[in-house]
Amino acid sequence: MWSSFIVQDEEIRTVNTSPGVHQPSGGLGGFLGSRGGGCKRRHRTHSSSGDGISESQEGKIKLTLFMAVTGIMLTVLGVGTEFWVELKPSKSFYNNQTCLVAHYGLWKCCTKTFWVSDMDPKQEICGSLHLQGESNCTFFKFYTTGENIVLFQKTPEKDLTVVSAMFAIISLFLMVMGTICIIMAVSKGVQFFLKPAAVCFILSGVLIFLCLIVFHQSVLSFLASDQSIPLHHELSWSVTCVGCAGALVIFAGALFLVLALPYSPWEKCLPKKNSDI
């Protein structure tokens, strides 16, 4: 009797340990597996909650961030260059052989001298900056020593120039802070950082446009400082870069604000009609 019981027990063990039969998980391994599955389920539930960021929303956030970073790059390009305004006098300002033009930005001023013979004879004012000539650039000293410069017997309004430069620096700082908030929102998976990022980008865009307005007012004050020498002025490509950057960051901030809403504005404004068949 005992021998038959041992034989039957060995046969059962042999059948249970065969590779073709699936064994139910038990013991410590099954317990740890069930605990791991519970952790994964809890993690998915947390990421799909209202405070988290879904995968589709994360893609929209990254696309909007790319737009904001483009605006930041345009701002850096515009603020760092000196092609904000071009000043062109008439051909007879110095003599009939050479012609002088100037351009400046927030930090630096440049003058360029070239021959009148290289210009179009029908043109009454000095030609374009693209012509070959001798150029000379200098940084504004009123940021350090307070000394102002003289261009065509005119002096730029340094107070307005300093204010416009401060607006540009504060705007860049807000853009960086907004970018950090978006990076934290994507890495942590929390929507909370979208609202401060939206505020930072919108304020930075507003400051950029205030910078352009103040700078243009400084140019008008510079031209009005001496009426004896008429000058033709025009805003250059650096202003275009900064203006496009301001529009981009404001639009990106508005999109971040929409993405931070707990509901979809499209579904709220245009609810779906349930069609009963």
Side-chain angles (χ1 to χ4, degrees):
M1 178 178 181
W2 288 102
S3 61
S4 62
F5 178 77
I6 294 174
V7 171
Q8 291 178 359
D9 183 65
E10 289 178 354
E11 290 176 356
I12 292 172
R13 289 182 182 179
T14 305
V15 171
N16 289 338
T17 57
S18 60
V21 180
H22 176 71
Q23 300 182 12
S25 60
L28 182 60
F31 176 74
L32 291 178
S34 62
R35 295 288 294 177
C39 293
K40 291 181 180 179
R41 285 193 294 270
R42 285 197 297 269
H43 177 71
R44 292 173 184 173
T45 304
H46 175 72
S47 63
S48 61
S49 61
D51 193 30
I53 296 178
S54 61
E55 293 182 358
S56 61
Q57 192 177 17
E58 182 179 351
K60 296 176 183 178
I61 292 173
K62 290 180 179 180
L63 183 61
T64 310
L65 179 61
F66 176 76
M67 181 189 304
V69 170
T70 304
I72 295 174
M73 295 175 63
L74 289 176
T75 304
V76 173
L77 178 62
V79 172
T81 52
E82 63 276 2
F83 293 91
W84 283 58
V85 62
E86 298 179 7
L87 304 172
K88 301 176 183 179
S90 61
K91 290 182 180 180
S92 59
F93 177 70
Y94 282 117
N95 49 53
N96 294 328
Q97 295 181 355
T98 59
C99 196
L100 179 68
V101 295
H103 60 93
Y104 66 91
L106 300 177
W107 322 101
K108 190 167 57 173
C109 174
C110 297
T111 59
K112 191 172 185 179
T113 306
F114 45 83
W115 297 100
V116 177
S117 58
D118 296 335
M119 298 168 45
D120 188 3
K122 298 180 181 180
Q123 192 173 354
E124 296 181 358
I125 61 175
C126 290
S128 175
L129 295 174
H130 301 289
L131 297 177
Q132 294 182 356
E134 181 181 357
S135 60
N136 185 18
C137 297
T138 179
F139 286 94
F140 291 143
K141 295 182 179 180
F142 46 72
Y143 291 108
T144 55
T145 62
E147 181 183 357
N148 207 339
I149 63 172
V150 178
L151 285 174
F152 305 106
Q153 301 179 7
K154 303 175 187 288
T155 55
E157 189 67 30
K158 63 180 182 180
D159 294 334
L160 294 178
T161 307
V162 170
V163 170
S164 59
M166 289 177 59
F167 281 154
I169 294 299
I170 297 174
S171 176
L172 282 173
F173 175 75
L174 290 175
M175 290 179 190
V176 173
M177 293 299 296
T179 305
I180 293 175
C181 290
I182 295 300
I183 293 175
M184 292 180 65
V186 174
S187 61
K188 300 296 182 180
V190 182
Q191 288 186 350
F192 170 77
F193 295 101
L194 294 179
K195 293 181 179 179
V199 173
C200 288
F201 282 120
I202 292 175
L203 286 179
S204 64
V206 172
L207 289 178
I208 280 295
F209 285 113
L210 287 177
C211 170
L212 295 177
I213 293 173
V214 174
F215 180 81
H216 186 254
Q217 187 62 39
S218 69
V219 173
L220 296 179
S221 300
F222 166 76
L223 296 174
S225 62
D226 189 359
Q227 299 289 343
S228 60
I229 302 176
L231 289 176
H232 174 75
H233 78 284
E234 59 182 2
L235 299 178
S236 190
W237 59 268
S238 296
V239 173
T240 304
C241 289
V242 175
C244 294
L248 282 176
V249 294
I250 288 179
F251 186 65
L255 289 180
F256 284 132
L257 194 60
V258 171
L259 291 173
L261 296 176
Y263 55 86
S264 176
W266 299 107
E267 296 179 357
K268 195 76 174 179
C269 298
L270 301 174
K272 296 181 179 180
K273 296 181 179 180
N274 295 326
S275 58
D276 297 334
I277 301 176

